[in-house]
């Protein structure tokens, strides 16, 4: 079949949405399908390359690397119509979705949509008023999702959230897959020590690793606070924070205020090709985020043979198996106690590493694509033709806004 994927984010941007789209496109093509992508140009220039339509765009200040467009009459639209896709798979609810909906209406084809982002945790990027920001993202998300035919969520956490929003379209949970081979390739001890040495970390240090975007909603502050308590009795433990983002300067300043520069080290942005190696620099992968719809870094860490020590979150269901491939924590005391318990028992740690890699088998990109193809087939077989946007959105929005007012007042 011919499949058009629409997304606000695409390479060279590095994030979970982009990783998901790249892996899906690759596997769909391996299965014999013809796939094209419609996205916003990262440099603003409209062009077509590598089966991808890059729309003319401009920067917006809502979020780093976020872009928008005024080019809603792109010359690419007639080309896409002539290509005539069988189905559209939208990955974002905002700019690119309007193109997805327009094309689907013109060609009378179904839209499958993946809900990647829990926007309620990102409202601080929109307006200072949390109530108003929440209402905006709620309205925008629901308006888009209710205008699709099938919805894919990466976890049951995201599915339950959409059900609470009043979404009535079929919702299927399919964990996003990753390239397992990429993360299972082991680096030598010489290479590991070479990388650690480049950051001034000596061989006698115990390294914890955190990889991801440095943003407020990722709750990295809690990891820093945990480290402040931990190093009082265990100064040999080091936290290596890999990545960049809008909250990086604030985090670096906090580490300086705590005088923990020798125990908390920032690498800044690194090449995506090196990320699998950086997972293997740590004895444990640590995370305190509770804003993930799925959290691909959890799975990438497991595939790298690195156990998890993460703050409990619903998205960890069927990913973190307590005591098998890692542990969860709810507070600083649990973080420290569980960490030290793992480190003092080498046999248990070796088993955790073995189980971590084994438990990643369920998250291959091949299995992911196969499940998505079944959703495409279901959408095509049951497609009733397009309907107008449901009027129920407005009263539903009023109800949610009233609930928010009760909560915040």
């Amino acid at each position: 079949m011919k499949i058009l994927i629409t997304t606000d984010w695409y390479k060279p941007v590095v994030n979970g949405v982009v990783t998901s789209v790249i892996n899906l496109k690759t596997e769909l093509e391996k299965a014999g399908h013809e796939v094209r992508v419609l996205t916003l140009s990262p440099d603003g220039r409209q062009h077509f390359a590598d089966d991808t339509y890059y729309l003319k765009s401009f920067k917006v200040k809502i979020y780093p690397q976020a872009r928008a467009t005024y080019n809603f009459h792109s010359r690419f639209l007639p080309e896409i119509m002539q290509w005539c896709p069988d189905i559209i798979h939208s990955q974002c609810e905002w700019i690119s979705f309007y193109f997805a909906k327009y094309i689907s209406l013109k060609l009378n084809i179904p839209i499958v949509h993946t809900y990647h982002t829990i926007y309620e945790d990102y409202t601080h990027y929109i307006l200072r008023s949390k109530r108003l920001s929440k209402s905006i993202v709620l309205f925008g998300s629901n308006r888009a999702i209710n205008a699709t035919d099938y919805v894919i969520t990466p976890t049951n956490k995201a599915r339950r959230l959409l059900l609470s929003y009043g979404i009535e379209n079929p919702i299927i949970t399919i964990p996003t897959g990753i390239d397992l081979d990429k993360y299972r390739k082991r680096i030598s001890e010489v290479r590991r020590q070479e990388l650690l040495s480049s950051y001034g970390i000596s061989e006698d240090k115990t390294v914890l690793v955190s990889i991801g975007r440095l943003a407020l909603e990722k709750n990295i502050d809690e990891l820093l606070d945990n480290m402040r308590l931990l190093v009082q009795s265990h100064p040999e433990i080091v936290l290596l924070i890999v990545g960049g983002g809008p909250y990086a300067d604030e985090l670096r300043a906090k580490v300086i205020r705590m005088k923990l520069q020798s125990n908390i080290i920032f690498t800044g942005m690194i090449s995506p090709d090196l990320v699998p190696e950086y997972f293997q620099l740590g004895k444990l992968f640590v995370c305190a985020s509770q804003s993930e719809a799925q959290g691909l870094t959890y799975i990438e860490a497991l595939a790298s043979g690195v156990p998890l020590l993460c703050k409990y979150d619903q998205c960890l269901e069927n990913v973190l198996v307590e005591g098998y491939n890692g542990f969860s924590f709810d507070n600083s005391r649990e973080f420290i106690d569980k960490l030290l318990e793992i480190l003092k028992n080498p046999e248990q740690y070796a088993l955790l590493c073995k189980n971590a890699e084994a438990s990643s088998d369920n998250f291959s990109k091949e299995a992911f694509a196969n499940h998505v193809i079944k959703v495409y087939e279901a959408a095509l077989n049951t497609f009733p033709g397009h309907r107008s946007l449901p009027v129920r959105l407005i009263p539903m929005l009023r109800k949610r806004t009233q609930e928010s007012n009760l909560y915040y007042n």
Side-chain angles (χ1 to χ4, degrees):
M1 69 183 87
K2 294 181 179 179
I3 303 156
L4 177 66
I5 298 176
T6 62
T7 175
D8 290 0
W9 305 94
Y10 199 49
K11 54 187 178 182
V13 174
V14 179
N15 61 32
V17 175
V18 177
T19 299
S20 176
V21 172
I22 291 173
N23 288 339
L24 178 60
K25 183 176 185 293
T26 300
E27 294 307 312
L28 290 173
E29 289 173 338
K30 283 183 182 178
H33 302 286
E34 189 176 348
V35 185
R36 296 185 186 180
V37 176
L38 176 67
T39 190
L40 301 175
S41 173
D43 62 6
R45 182 176 58 88
Q46 180 167 279
H47 63 287
F48 179 79
D50 300 324
D51 299 321
T52 302
Y53 301 98
Y54 291 94
L55 297 173
K56 189 182 298 183
S57 69
F58 57 89
K59 292 181 181 179
V60 291
K61 295 182 178 180
I62 291 176
Y63 191 80
Q65 296 182 302
R67 304 190 73 87
T69 186
Y70 52 80
N71 189 31
F72 288 99
H73 299 286
S74 169
R75 64 178 174 85
F76 287 145
L77 291 178
E79 292 183 27
I80 294 171
M81 301 295 181
Q82 187 174 10
W83 178 57
C84 197
D86 300 299
I87 195 166
I88 297 174
H89 189 164
S90 63
Q91 307 286 333
C92 298
E93 295 82 3
W94 307 101
I95 304 299
S96 60
F97 181 80
Y98 290 95
F99 290 91
K101 187 61 181 177
Y102 175 81
I103 295 167
S104 71
L105 288 170
K106 285 292 186 180
L107 296 178
N108 198 31
I109 59 175
I111 300 179
V112 171
H113 179 75
T114 293
Y115 184 74
H116 287 282
T117 305
I118 298 176
Y119 292 102
E120 289 189 17
D121 295 319
Y122 290 74
T123 54
H124 51 278
Y125 291 109
I126 303 175
L127 296 171
R128 291 184 178 180
S129 169
K130 188 171 183 179
R131 283 181 295 178
L132 182 56
S133 295
K134 189 172 181 179
S135 296
I136 291 172
V137 299
L138 177 64
F139 178 76
S141 297
N142 281 31
R143 187 177 186 278
I145 295 169
N146 274 319
T148 65
D149 300 283
Y150 270 77
V151 183
I152 295 173
T153 56
T155 60
N156 285 328
K157 170 190 176 181
R159 183 177 187 274
R160 287 190 288 265
L161 183 66
L162 291 185
L163 290 173
S164 75
Y165 285 175
I167 301 300
E168 297 180 358
N169 297 343
I171 304 174
I172 314 297
T173 298
I174 303 176
T176 301
I178 67 168
D179 184 349
L180 294 179
D181 293 338
K182 178 180 176 181
Y183 292 91
R184 286 178 171 174
K185 184 179 180 180
R186 298 291 172 254
I187 62 173
S188 67
E189 184 60 25
V190 172
R191 174 59 174 164
R192 182 174 180 275
Q193 292 302 329
E194 176 185 295
L195 284 172
L196 290 175
S197 178
S198 69
Y199 296 105
I201 303 174
S202 58
E203 294 185 28
D204 60 331
K205 299 296 184 182
T206 299
V207 181
L208 312 177
V209 66
S210 172
I211 298 180
R213 190 174 72 256
L214 306 189
L216 180 63
E217 65 274 5
K218 298 300 183 180
N219 198 25
I220 300 168
D221 284 287
E222 183 167 341
L223 292 181
L224 304 189
D225 293 336
N226 291 347
M227 284 295 296
R228 179 177 57 82
L229 297 174
L230 177 63
V231 299
Q232 292 175 9
S233 56
H234 291 80
E236 77 283 0
I237 297 179
V238 172
L239 172 61
L240 186 66
I241 299 178
V242 182
Y247 199 51
D249 290 343
E250 287 84 348
L251 293 171
R252 291 175 185 270
K254 181 172 182 176
V255 169
I256 292 172
R257 289 196 302 272
M258 295 192 299
K259 299 181 180 179
L260 291 179
Q261 297 96 311
S262 59
N263 291 94
I264 301 175
I265 298 170
F266 296 87
T267 69
M269 291 293 293
I270 62 168
S271 167
D273 294 335
L274 294 178
V275 169
E277 293 187 339
Y278 275 71
F279 274 106
Q280 297 177 56
L281 299 184
K283 291 185 73 70
L284 294 170
F285 175 79
V286 295
C287 182
S289 174
Q290 293 184 302
S291 65
E292 310 299 324
Q294 177 175 8
L296 288 180
T297 51
Y298 301 132
I299 300 167
E300 291 166 351
L302 293 175
S304 302
V306 180
L308 308 178
L309 180 60
C310 301
K311 188 160 188 176
Y312 176 76
D313 186 62
Q314 291 180 5
C315 76
L316 288 166
E317 290 178 8
N318 303 317
V319 176
L320 192 161
V321 181
E322 190 78 12
Y324 177 77
N325 59 8
F327 292 88
S328 61
F329 65 90
D330 284 321
N331 51 56
S332 296
R333 188 71 264 162
E334 284 191 1
F335 175 87
I336 294 172
D337 289 347
K338 291 186 177 183
L339 170 61
L340 297 179
E341 182 65 28
I342 294 169
L343 296 180
K344 77 177 185 181
N345 191 332
E347 291 184 359
Q348 181 197 27
Y349 175 74
L351 185 58
L352 285 172
C353 293
K354 180 180 178 181
N355 293 341
E357 182 174 343
S359 63
S360 68
D361 287 342
N362 299 324
F363 302 98
S364 71
K365 58 183 178 140
E366 294 83 4
F368 168 56
N370 288 336
H371 289 307
V372 171
I373 289 170
K374 291 179 180 178
V375 175
Y376 293 164
E377 292 170 346
L380 288 167
N381 291 335
T382 61
F383 181 54
H386 286 290
R387 58 186 182 274
S388 59
L389 292 178
V391 180
R392 68 175 180 272
L393 280 177
I394 302 303
M396 184 278 300
L397 178 62
R398 284 202 199 102
K399 179 181 177 183
R400 292 282 295 186
T401 304
Q402 289 169 357
E403 290 173 353
S404 298
N405 290 338
L406 288 174
Y407 177 79
Y408 287 106
N409 288 338

